[in-house]
Amino acid sequence: MRIGMRLLLGYFLIVAIAAWFVLSIFVQEVKPGVRRATEGTLIDTATLLAEVGRDDLLNGDAQNGRLAQAFSQLHQRPFRANIGGIHKVRNEYHVYMTDAQGRVVFDSAGHALGQDYSRWNDVWRTLRGEYGARSTLSDPSDPQSTVMYVAAPIVDKGKIVGVLSVGKPNSAMAPVINRSERRILWAGGALLGIALLIGLVVAWWINRSIGTLSRYADSVTQDTPLPLPDPGSSELRKLAQALENMRIRLEGKNYIEQYVHALTHELKSPLAAIRGAAEILAEQPPPAVAARFIDNILVQNARMQSLVEKLLEQAKLENRVEITPSTVNLEGLFRRLVDMRSALLAAKNITLTQQSASLAVNGDEALLEQALGNLLDNAIDFTPEGGSIVLAALEAYQQVQLKVIDSGSGIPDYALPRIFERFYSLPRSNGLKSSGLGLAFVQEVARLHHGEIDLRNRPEGGVEARLTLHRPFT
């Protein structure tokens, strides 16, 4: 199982357990919470009605007193109320009043008049000055028919002369409880859904970041390293940097062997030419012949010096891990590149067209100038006399593509896979070969800029070199 999926499952399991724990507490607290709130309302109601019913009790005719008349009118006048979606159409209170001995002297339902309620918990405790309340089944065969009763004392001159109890069926609270439970469960389901969505996004991001690092590591093993990726977090960025350092160290093990082998191979020809010239000069040839072989020695010496300098430059670049980017104006950069090569362009009668559109990129200006110079030099070398070259900069989303397009013969198919290898080169239009380090240098510059370099043959002939870089943030 992929690590992103494992993290998702672990994260979702933790959220599900936490949600179940919280929801179970809420659901368990809904019913007692509503009943406590109802009980508080019943206490207030009972205390108020006890004051109203006191005169009825003292007059000895509670069944026909003001309280009885009020309930009679209440039963005759229906009402409607919409309480947050819960429709209420009748009064659900059951009120009865007892005297000091616990005998019922008033019953709003008319069923218990004259009965002895002195043993009911609400009456018995209230008559003794305590808080009295009870919950009783109105129908013994129905366990859901419980009624909550709360009592208040009827006091006259500091003496308890009776008890007034107010009852309300627990079934009347069921709609409120059920609605609250449904809303809590819906909220819990929404919470789990949002948590799952967030988990999926996080898992996708982790898988994408790890996949980017994996592709980078694979590219290193295939000797075609991609630009150092930016996974988007400090931890993964440190891992990417560690992979880059590992790449440099791993390449360093073969670094000396590769460079010594390449340098030996490249120096064989000039050294052989110098040795041959020296052997002829040792025979003291005529001055004209001697001058020609002396010039040959100087040319080969310059060739070796250039090769060594480029090798040192390449090695220095490959050891760099990052650059300090700045905003580079492409119009000025293009102008300098063309001015430096105006003599070469004029010598081969090559037409060069610039298309910069006043764009800018983020990067190291000196490295970019050298990399584009290498691409432009290649284009000049492989473009025949009277040809044309286009030096262009095009904007694409948050990137800029730098293009060098020539009208030469193109790159042979067999050479395309190896075109960026160090010391690999093709014969120029004049028959000579370059050091083979120019495109390798461009590839390293692209890597340091987190960009891409691509060379492709054009259908109409010639080569298009494309260096993709990032635009500066605005």
Side-chain angles (χ1 to χ4, degrees), residues 83-130:
I83 307 173
I86 300 175
H87 297 278
K88 184 176 177 66
V89 296
R90 67 179 183 277
N91 175 40
E92 295 165 331
Y93 277 157
H94 178 211
V95 178
Y96 60 84
M97 184 165 51
T98 68
D99 57 18
Q101 287 73 41
R103 188 170 299 279
V104 178
V105 295
F106 167 75
D107 182 4
S108 63
H111 302 310
L113 192 65
Q115 296 184 17
D116 182 8
Y117 274 22
S118 60
R119 293 299 175 183
W120 288 113
N121 199 44
D122 57 328
V123 176
W124 185 78
R125 293 177 65 89
T126 304
L127 287 175
R128 283 157 179 74
E130 301 174 3

Side-chain angles (χ1 to χ4, degrees), residues 234-246:
S234 57
E235 293 81 4
L236 291 176
R237 195 175 293 113
K238 289 179 180 178
L239 177 58
Q241 193 62 59
L243 286 174
E244 176 69 0
N245 294 334
M246 182 180 68

Side-chain angles (χ1 to χ4, degrees), residues 314-350:
Q314 181 78 13
K316 181 180 178 181
L317 185 65
E318 291 178 354
N319 282 325
R320 291 182 65 173
V321 177
E322 59 183 13
I323 59 172
T324 303
S326 61
T327 301
V328 180
N329 181 274
L330 294 179
E331 193 170 6
L333 178 60
F334 282 9
R335 190 183 306 113
R336 291 195 303 273
L337 289 171
V338 175
D339 289 345
M340 293 172 59
R341 291 158 179 81
S342 57
L344 289 175
L345 293 169
K348 296 186 67 173
N349 194 25
I350 295 175

Side-chain angles (χ1 to χ4, degrees), residues 33-43 93 148 150 168 173:
V34 171
R35 288 180 178 175
R36 283 194 294 269
T38 303
E39 186 175 352
T41 304
L42 292 177
I43 293 172
Y93 277 157
M148 180 190 301
V150 175
K168 186 171 186 178
M173 295 175 271

Side-chain angles (χ1 to χ4, degrees), residues 235-271:
E235 293 81 4
L236 291 176
R237 195 175 293 113
K238 289 179 180 178
L239 177 58
Q241 193 62 59
L243 286 174
E244 176 69 0
N245 294 334
M246 182 180 68
R247 179 187 77 84
I248 294 173
R249 290 182 178 273
L250 288 174
E251 287 186 349
K253 292 183 178 180
N254 298 323
Y255 185 81
I256 296 177
E257 180 181 348
Q258 291 177 357
Y259 269 69
V260 168
H261 180 271
L263 184 61
T264 302
H265 176 76
E266 293 297 320
L267 292 180
K268 278 183 179 180
S269 295
L271 285 174

Side-chain angles (χ1 to χ4, degrees), residues 341 344 370 372-382 404:
R341 291 158 179 81
L344 289 175
Q370 192 167 354
L372 280 176
N374 287 352
L375 294 177
L376 193 54
D377 289 339
N378 279 350
I380 295 173
D381 287 339
F382 289 94
V404 178

Side-chain angles (χ1 to χ4, degrees), residues 5-181:
M5 186 59 65
R6 293 182 181 180
L7 290 174
L8 174 62
L9 291 177
Y11 163 78
F12 187 71
L13 182 61
I14 292 173
V15 172
I17 293 174
W20 172 82
F21 183 72
V22 173
L23 288 175
S24 64
I25 292 177
F26 269 100
V27 171
Q28 291 172 9
E29 287 294 321
V30 167
K31 191 174 294 185
V34 171
R35 288 180 178 175
R36 283 194 294 269
T38 303
E39 186 175 352
T41 304
L42 292 177
I43 293 172
D44 295 338
T45 305
T47 303
L48 177 63
L49 293 181
E51 293 297 322
V52 176
R54 179 176 58 189
D55 293 339
D56 296 344
L57 179 64
L58 294 177
N59 291 335
D61 190 17
Q63 193 62 28
N64 295 309
R66 289 186 302 166
L67 189 61
Q69 293 175 8
F71 270 94
S72 176
Q73 294 175 1
L74 179 65
H75 290 316
Q76 294 175 5
R77 186 176 66 249
F79 64 92
R80 294 180 180 276
N82 185 353
I83 307 173
I86 300 175
H87 297 278
K88 184 176 177 66
V89 296
R90 67 179 183 277
N91 175 40
E92 295 165 331
Y93 277 157
H94 178 211
V95 178
Y96 60 84
M97 184 165 51
T98 68
D99 57 18
Q101 287 73 41
R103 188 170 299 279
V104 178
V105 295
F106 167 75
D107 182 4
S108 63
H111 302 310
L113 192 65
Q115 296 184 17
D116 182 8
Y117 274 22
S118 60
R119 293 299 175 183
W120 288 113
N121 199 44
D122 57 328
V123 176
W124 185 78
R125 293 177 65 89
T126 304
L127 287 175
R128 283 157 179 74
E130 301 174 3
Y131 170 63
R134 67 181 171 96
S135 184
T136 306
L137 290 173
S138 60
D139 183 359
S141 62
D142 183 6
Q144 304 296 325
S145 65
T146 57
V147 181
M148 180 190 301
Y149 289 95
V150 175
I154 301 175
V155 181
D156 181 47
K157 298 179 181 181
K159 181 180 179 181
I160 298 176
V161 295
V163 175
L164 187 139
S165 292
V166 179
K168 186 171 186 178
N170 286 324
S171 59
M173 295 175 271
V176 177
I177 294 173
N178 293 337
R179 185 182 65 176
S180 299
E181 289 181 345

Side-chain angles (χ1 to χ4, degrees), residues 16 31 37 79 93 143 155 175 179 182 205 241 252 275 330 351 368 384-385 391 393 437 468:
K31 191 174 294 185
F79 64 92
Y93 277 157
V155 181
R179 185 182 65 176
R182 284 196 304 271
W205 175 77
Q241 193 62 59
R275 180 178 179 179
L330 294 179
T351 302
L368 289 178
E385 293 187 8
L391 181 60
L437 293 173
T468 305

